[in-house]
Amino acid sequence: MLTIGQLASYAGVTVRTVRHYHQIGLLPEPERDNSGYRRYGATAVVSLIKVRTLAEAGVPLSEIDSLLQADAPAFAAAIQRIDARLSDEIAQRENSRKQIAQLAAGDHAALPSEVAFYLNRLREIGASERLVHAERDGWILMTARWPDRVREWMPSKLAQLEDPRLVRLYQVLSRLLEGGEIDEALLEEAADIMAVLAEEAHAGGDVMSEDDLEDGLPFDLLDAFAVEVDPRAQRMRDLMRKRGWESWTRQERVAGPVPPVVERQRT
């Protein structure tokens, strides 16, 4: 006859686990002997090993007692149901691991690989890390709304980075973000470049479709996010409106007459 400690050791569990199984009715609790100790026989050892085996296999404790009482067909059917549930849980955990890996990868968090590649190109042309992070978070907003469209946009976005004016724009925006004060000259230069590029995009038909523009929430979020990242973005929006554009995100003309946009000469 075994003490509770000997029983636990033989079955490969802790004494605390044995007591817990007593409390929930999975393992009968023997009476105390004349010395005041509970003694366990071979039947208790076998029962405890069965319970431990099912628990380690992922069977909920609340279902173990009914399984132990079931006949062979019922036991097999129950095991199949449990196996299917465990398979679903494993798939969910694998998906969670992939998401954790994406978070650890920085730019890949919540973004397709095409966007991560684009962000690396921004670094290569001289964009500051702070600007790249802001751009990344902006693309997260867009990807949440249009995951497939974002992938379709990336080839043209990469091609645009071959334009030295756009390279200059990212360099100017980087300087603005890194600077502590409002630099009106840099803001004006950035607004001039964006207005000219917007005008050319409209002339060439390289703009958002009317259906996309009707779904204004992503653009509203992008504009709001830019101001949250740096309040000076509001000044940039004002400068863009003076040049006839709603913002740098929509590339949509303001209502009414549009003033001519003249690119300033830089020294």
Side-chain angles (χ1 to χ4, degrees), residues 128 130 169-191 194 230 232 236:
S128 69
R130 185 178 177 188
L169 174 61
Y170 274 107
Q171 293 170 349
V172 169
L173 292 176
S174 295
R175 289 175 59 186
L176 284 167
L177 277 176
E178 298 303 324
E181 302 294 332
I182 294 179
D183 189 322
E184 283 293 334
L186 287 178
L187 284 170
E188 292 279 358
E189 181 180 359
M194 286 191 286
D230 192 322
R232 289 170 294 185
M236 182 67 72

Side-chain angles (χ1 to χ4, degrees), residues 8-263:
S9 176
Y10 196 97
V13 298
T14 64
V15 170
R16 183 177 180 180
T17 297
V18 174
R19 289 182 174 140
H20 179 61
Y21 290 166
H22 285 328
Q23 291 174 354
I24 63 177
L26 280 180
L27 188 69
E29 189 172 8
E31 298 293 333
R32 297 183 183 275
D33 61 15
N34 293 332
S35 61
Y37 291 98
R38 300 186 189 280
R39 300 291 178 175
Y40 299 84
T43 300
V45 176
V46 172
S47 296
L48 180 56
I49 291 174
K50 287 180 179 180
V51 171
R52 184 210 69 196
T53 302
L54 290 171
E56 289 179 347
V59 178
L61 295 181
S62 60
E63 298 180 24
I64 288 179
D65 185 58
S66 61
L67 278 177
L68 293 175
Q69 306 300 325
D71 57 21
F75 183 88
I79 290 297
Q80 286 182 345
R81 290 195 300 272
I82 293 169
D83 180 65
R85 184 173 65 235
L86 289 175
S87 295
D88 290 341
E89 292 177 1
I90 290 171
Q92 292 174 2
R93 290 181 182 274
E94 286 296 329
N95 186 56
S96 296
R97 290 190 64 207
K98 291 178 182 178
Q99 292 177 331
I100 291 295
Q102 287 180 330
L103 291 174
D107 290 343
H108 290 272
L111 287 173
S113 58
E114 294 88 345
V115 177
F117 183 82
Y118 173 75
L119 295 175
N120 282 331
R121 282 289 294 127
L122 292 184
R123 294 184 176 95
E124 292 173 1
I125 66 172
S128 69
E129 200 61 31
R130 185 178 177 188
L131 180 57
V132 172
H133 287 172
E135 183 96 4
R136 176 198 63 198
D137 292 346
W139 281 111
I140 288 175
L141 291 174
M142 299 293 279
T143 301
R145 196 66 157 190
W146 298 305
D148 295 330
R149 297 294 304 278
V150 164
R151 290 185 175 89
E152 295 172 2
W153 294 334
M154 283 302 107
S156 64
K157 295 294 293 183
L158 285 168
Q160 290 169 7
L161 295 181
E162 301 301 320
D163 188 332
R165 295 172 300 177
L166 192 60
V167 172
R168 173 61 182 170
L169 174 61
Y170 274 107
Q171 293 170 349
V172 169
L173 292 176
S174 295
R175 289 175 59 186
L176 284 167
L177 277 176
E178 298 303 324
E181 302 294 332
I182 294 179
D183 189 322
E184 283 293 334
L186 287 178
L187 284 170
E188 292 279 358
E189 181 180 359
D192 283 346
I193 296 173
M194 286 191 286
V196 170
L197 293 176
E199 189 69 37
E200 291 181 359
H202 260 259
D206 186 19
V207 293
M208 289 282 192
S209 68
E210 292 184 2
D211 290 340
D212 290 337
L213 290 174
E214 286 180 0
D215 185 4
L217 180 58
F219 301 106
D220 293 338
L221 288 173
L222 279 175
D223 287 340
F225 175 71
V227 175
E228 291 171 10
V229 170
D230 192 322
R232 289 170 294 185
Q234 182 59 53
R235 173 61 177 155
M236 182 67 72
R237 291 183 64 183
D238 294 339
L239 291 173
M240 289 298 292
R241 286 188 62 82
K242 288 181 179 179
R243 287 158 174 78
W245 301 96
E246 283 293 344
S247 71
W248 61 88
T249 57
R250 293 177 189 269
Q251 290 191 343
E252 186 179 17
R253 296 187 189 278
V254 297
V258 179
V261 178
V262 179
E263 187 173 13

